[in-house]
């Protein structure tokens, strides 16, 4: 799936996708409520598509395929059930979460191509930041190969993907590890995969700021999905 782009659908040119960044941490439940409201507006034809970049306080989320045994430290951080695909994941400071609300009814109704597009987006953004990201068959997300003298290469995850569709509008999205506390991931088996680790730009020796990551993600998104326009973040209840 590496490098594939989503079907764009024919017809007239679409309006640019709104691109919003929250500068302060956003509580998870408030973010989900705002996403769901925007998804409904998009589905009714009353709202523009949106990519919303933010950080959360430390927390774990359980996707629809999460196994209770993969939650190793259930009392460490708040745990939220999530309607997205996938298993357990961690969100917290130093991780850029991008919630992606796109109208796939107008973009080809191809879920596989959409997920491939999300992976291609992250790979291009990482390339701008000097990191070679890769996909793996049977493992959603973006991985980096770590090589050490005298040891076998290992693969660590740097970007996770978990999405949901409602009336062909996507929500939830991707998370890119810029400089989170990687020890926080030890409270779960991330995405149910115990044989591989988790890494970040900082862990790889790339001292990128969140603004650096945002610029890389913005430019790469435009190449994969189309133009964006700066917008305000959604109002929170």
């Amino acid at each position: 799936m590496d490098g594939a782009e989503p079907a764009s659908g024919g017809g007239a040119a679409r309006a640019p996708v709104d691109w919003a960044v929250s500068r302060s941490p956003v509580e998870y439940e408030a973010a989900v409520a705002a996403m769901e409201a925007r998804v409904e507006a998009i589905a009714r034809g009353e709202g523009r598509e949106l990519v919303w970049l933010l950080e959360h306080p430390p927390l774990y989320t359980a996707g629809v395929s999460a196994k209770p045994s993969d939650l190793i430290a259930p009392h460490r951080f708040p745990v939220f059930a999530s309607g997205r695909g996938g298993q357990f994941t961690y969100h917290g400071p130093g991780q850029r979460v991008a919630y992606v609300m796109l109208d796939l009814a107008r973009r080809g109704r191809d879920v596989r191509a959409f997920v491939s597009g999300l992976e291609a987006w992250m790979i291009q953004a990482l390339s701008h930041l000097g990191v070679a990201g890769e996909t793996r068959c049977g493992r959603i997300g973006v991985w980096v190969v770590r090589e050490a003298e005298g040891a076998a290469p290992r693969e660590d995850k740097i970007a996770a993907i978990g999405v949901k569709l409602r009336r062909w509008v996507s929500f939830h999205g991707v998370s890119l590890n810029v400089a989170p506390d990687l020890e926080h991931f030890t409270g779960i088996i991330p995405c149910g995969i115990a044989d591989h680790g988790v890494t970040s730009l900082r862990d790889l020796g790339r001292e990128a700021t969140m603004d650096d990551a945002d610029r890389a993600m913005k430019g790469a998104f435009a190449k994969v999905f189309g133009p964006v326009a700066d917008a305000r973040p959604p109002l929170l209840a």
Side-chain angles (χ1 to χ4, degrees), residues 9 28 32 43 62 84 94 132 152 174 200 202 212 237:
Y28 183 76
V32 171
R84 60 162 175 80
V174 305
S200 67
R202 175 175 291 174
D212 293 333

Side-chain angles (χ1 to χ4, degrees), residues 59-220:
L59 58 93
Y60 298 129
T61 67
V64 295
S65 301
K67 300 175 182 177
S69 59
D70 287 346
L71 181 58
I72 298 169
H75 305 297
R76 186 172 189 183
F77 298 126
V79 180
F80 296 95
S82 171
R84 60 162 175 80
Q87 302 185 44
F88 278 103
T89 194
Y90 166 78
H91 295 313
Q95 181 192 73
R96 178 52 90 206
V97 174
Y99 288 133
V100 182
M101 289 153 267
L102 298 184
D103 185 357
L104 299 193
R106 301 178 62 191
R107 290 177 176 266
R109 294 180 184 246
D110 189 332
V111 178
R112 182 179 295 273
F114 173 57
V115 173
S116 293
L118 295 176
E119 291 174 330
W121 171 29
M122 289 294 98
I123 288 170
Q124 289 195 32
L126 286 166
S127 178
H128 291 317
L129 296 164
V131 172
E134 302 177 3
T135 57
R136 289 292 181 267
C137 182
R139 282 192 260 137
I140 302 274
V142 177
W143 304 78
V144 295
V145 178
R146 312 285 298 275
E147 296 188 7
E149 187 175 351
R154 76 173 198 260
E155 295 175 351
D156 290 341
K157 195 171 201 175
I158 193 168
I161 295 172
V163 296
K164 182 177 180 177
L165 299 182
R166 181 176 295 162
R167 296 169 62 187
W168 283 104
V169 180
S170 69
F171 60 122
H172 295 280
V174 305
S175 58
L176 174 64
N177 294 332
V178 180
D181 186 339
L182 295 180
E183 201 274 334
H184 288 179
F185 286 87
T186 62
I188 57 173
I189 297 178
C191 303
I193 300 174
D195 296 334
H196 300 279
V198 178
T199 190
S200 67
L201 293 172
R202 175 175 291 174
D203 186 48
L204 295 171
R206 304 292 178 181
E207 290 298 329
T209 66
M210 197 64 76
D211 285 343
D212 293 333
D214 289 353
R215 283 190 292 271
M217 291 174 68
K218 189 175 186 180

